[in-house]
Amino acid sequence: MGFGYGFDPGFGPTFGMMSVIMPLMFVIVFGIIIVTLIRGIGEWNKNNHSPKLTVPAAVVSRRTAVSHHHHNGETHHVHTSTSYYATFQVESGDRMEFALSGMEYGMLAEGDTGELTFQGTRYLSFQRTEQAS
């Protein structure tokens, strides 16, 4: 009785299935990581090759996305992170949503009008126009 490729009848069918499933899961997870990395690099490259545009725009909405990460071990840790987003409407009526820093998010209010500067999908700045009182 030898230890072939994990299909030794002494170990039963479960061990044989696991010797196929575990490498397959590793390949799938590794593949997802590689695809995500390639997409991120592609978007970064596309943004770098896009022109920087400044257009009149209005802030039509703001939102946050809070994610919780639980780490169990000897001590229980909970890590929370918040992502900030703003949607701008340009003169043509098109709307664009951008991820912002918390500081930029805090400086915007719905209804603000001004000049939006962006490059591809990358938010660069928003300069509010002064409203006449």
Side-chain angles (χ1 to χ4, degrees), residues 47 50-57 88 90 96 98 115-126:
N47 284 341
S50 295
K52 290 182 183 177
L53 300 174
T54 300
V55 297
F88 298 89
V90 296
M96 296 178 281
F98 295 99
E115 298 286 320
L116 170 67
T117 303
F118 63 98
Q119 185 177 25
T121 60
R122 185 182 300 146
Y123 169 86
L124 298 175
S125 67
F126 181 75

